[in-house]
Amino acid sequence: MTEPTSPRPVLRRAPPPAAHEVAPTTGARRAPPPAANRPSGNRAIPQGQSNTAAHGAGGTVRLNKRMADLGMASRREADEWIGKGWVKVNGKVAEMGMQVLPDVRIEIDKQAQGQQANQVTILLNKPLGIVSGQAEDGHEPAIKLIQPQNRWRDDNARFFFHGSQLKSLVPAGRLDIDSTGLLVLTQDGRVARQLIGEDSVMEKEYLVRVAYTGVANPSAANSPAATYPGLPGRGQPQQLIRLDDDDPITSDVQSVFPPEKLQLLRHGLSLDDQRLKPAKVEWQNPEQLRFVLTEGKKRQIRRMCELVGLKVVGLKRVRVGKVMLGNLPVGQWRYLQPHEKF
């Protein structure tokens, strides 16, 4: 009778150390990478080589990033054009993933220019109860309002509405559900990058009606939820109209609000353990502040106010960059005109 054969041991490679662990030192050396994959020192990455890194060797940069930095297209748009053969670098058709030096000559095909010219940017006066982006908790998204019947009748931009304009139309920045005012929606990646790109310093101006509680809410520094749902027993914050002994001060707030706290609003507060950039904050009238910010943390103004004993009663965005909300009615929209620049 033949004895059963013992199963051969299965060799498994040890898992890599976790990010917080240090790999043990064994004296063994890892084999060098194949020559084709070795770093090339200061030599630029060959044209056409696929590389997802934004920066390469010898001061090169990925072509789609270079095009975005020059304001020619968004990165996604640049990749689309490169894939279609619509981009040339120093006279040669570009390849996906290629790295280029900053001084290269980049040319765009007329087809790409035509496609870009048809992209629209829309300005909406967002009402209360509408969310900026995707529908949530049963609330309608702002894009649902972009219909012919809601177009402002005084809009004199030479565009005709077409359903294709809703494709890839996204908000360039958010506006809270309980805030109103100027919301920008765009198909143009260049506009989106200008308004909300990682290096954007675009000014955004708000008119903020406030009540003074005199009691700071320190939990607002690390939790956007700390600003909900407004003052107890009063329903929506914008409905505060009574002034009893137990109520906050809602009239002539400017006269009782300490000047040193106004200075804190301008500079000195932190949210989410990060120091806020300097802001322009001044009284527009005795019950309303004017904020000009160059950053946009979640529910930033409401949280800033609660840190100094103010409660936001109403908040409206009236300007983004050089573009004003103006007389655009609530719930209506218009096109950004060709001569308007953020």
Side-chain angles (χ1 to χ4, degrees):
M1 183 174 176
T2 306
E3 293 185 5
T5 304
S6 299
R8 299 179 64 183
V10 178
L11 299 179
R12 300 181 184 276
R13 179 177 293 174
H20 61 280
E21 296 176 345
V22 179
T25 303
T26 62
R29 298 180 181 273
R30 179 176 294 175
N37 295 329
R38 287 180 189 165
S40 53
N42 292 327
R43 183 169 56 85
I45 296 173
Q47 179 173 326
Q49 178 176 318
S50 179
N51 188 338
T52 58
H55 297 275
T60 64
V61 65
R62 190 173 165 89
L63 176 57
N64 63 357
K65 184 180 188 306
R66 180 60 181 159
M67 291 174 65
D69 290 344
L70 292 172
M72 303 174 78
S74 68
R75 290 197 194 186
R76 181 181 298 179
E77 194 173 40
D79 281 338
E80 179 186 342
W81 294 353
I82 295 167
K84 291 180 177 179
W86 290 353
V87 180
K88 289 183 179 180
V89 174
N90 291 338
K92 296 182 179 180
V93 175
E95 297 182 45
M96 192 69 72
M98 69 182 295
Q99 298 265 335
V100 299
L101 290 167
D103 59 352
V104 297
R105 186 178 75 258
I106 302 173
E107 301 171 80
I108 304 300
D109 191 275
K110 289 183 179 180
Q111 294 181 80
Q113 295 172 353
Q115 183 186 79
Q116 200 169 57
N118 290 327
Q119 293 173 335
V120 298
T121 295
I122 285 174
L123 311 176
L124 170 71
N125 189 343
K126 189 190 84 65
L128 290 169
I130 298 289
V131 294
S132 301
Q134 297 294 323
E136 53 185 71
D137 299 328
H139 298 287
E140 282 196 338
I143 196 170
K144 290 285 188 180
L145 295 176
I146 312 303
Q147 297 296 330
Q149 64 271 24
N150 294 330
R151 183 178 179 181
W152 187 29
R153 67 180 182 180
D154 289 343
D155 182 10
N156 56 9
R158 296 179 181 178
F159 290 103
F160 293 98
F161 178 79
H162 190 275
S164 63
Q165 294 169 354
L166 300 178
K167 182 180 180 182
S168 302
L169 186 70
V170 296
R174 57 177 289 130
L175 197 56
D176 295 333
I177 189 172
D178 44 2
S179 301
T180 66
L182 183 57
L183 180 67
V184 180
L185 300 101
T186 186
Q187 293 178 312
D188 193 332
R190 296 170 302 173
V191 172
R193 178 183 173 90
Q194 188 181 10
L195 268 55
I196 58 173
E198 58 186 17
D199 53 352
S200 174
V201 291
M202 184 68 62
E203 283 192 348
K204 298 177 180 69
E205 180 178 343
Y206 304 81
L207 297 181
V208 185
R209 191 170 180 82
V210 293
Y212 184 50
T213 67
V215 180
N217 178 9
S219 60
N222 291 295
S223 173
T227 58
Y228 288 99
L231 296 172
R234 298 300 183 205
Q236 295 296 322
Q238 63 270 17
Q239 295 175 353
L240 280 173
I241 53 175
R242 295 181 55 200
L243 186 63
D244 299 329
D245 290 340
D246 296 330
D247 284 336
I249 296 172
T250 58
S251 63
D252 199 9
V253 180
Q254 181 179 2
S255 67
V256 296
F257 187 63
E260 63 271 18
K261 291 191 175 182
L262 181 64
Q263 191 59 40
L264 270 179
L265 287 173
R266 290 171 176 158
H267 196 212
L269 297 176
S270 297
L271 295 181
D272 306 320
D273 298 321
Q274 291 185 340
R275 188 89 163 188
L276 295 176
K277 296 178 181 178
K280 298 175 185 176
V281 186
E282 59 189 18
W283 288 102
Q284 187 80 1
N285 60 51
E287 289 83 36
Q288 187 168 262
L289 286 163
R290 171 181 171 267
F291 279 73
V292 179
L293 306 181
T294 57
E295 59 186 335
K297 291 185 176 294
K298 190 171 184 179
R299 299 180 72 80
Q300 178 171 336
I301 292 176
R302 296 175 190 276
R303 295 165 69 188
M304 290 172 68
C305 286
E306 295 215 356
L307 287 174
V308 294
L310 292 173
K311 195 76 180 180
V312 172
V313 177
L315 191 155
K316 177 199 270 186
R317 184 157 64 202
V318 296
R319 177 173 65 90
V320 175
K322 299 175 184 176
V323 176
M324 303 292 296
L325 177 65
N327 296 324
L328 182 62
V330 176
Q332 296 186 29
W333 61 272
R334 70 173 180 88
Y335 291 104
L336 181 74
Q337 299 199 49
H339 70 272
E340 291 183 293
K341 304 295 180 186
F342 288 101

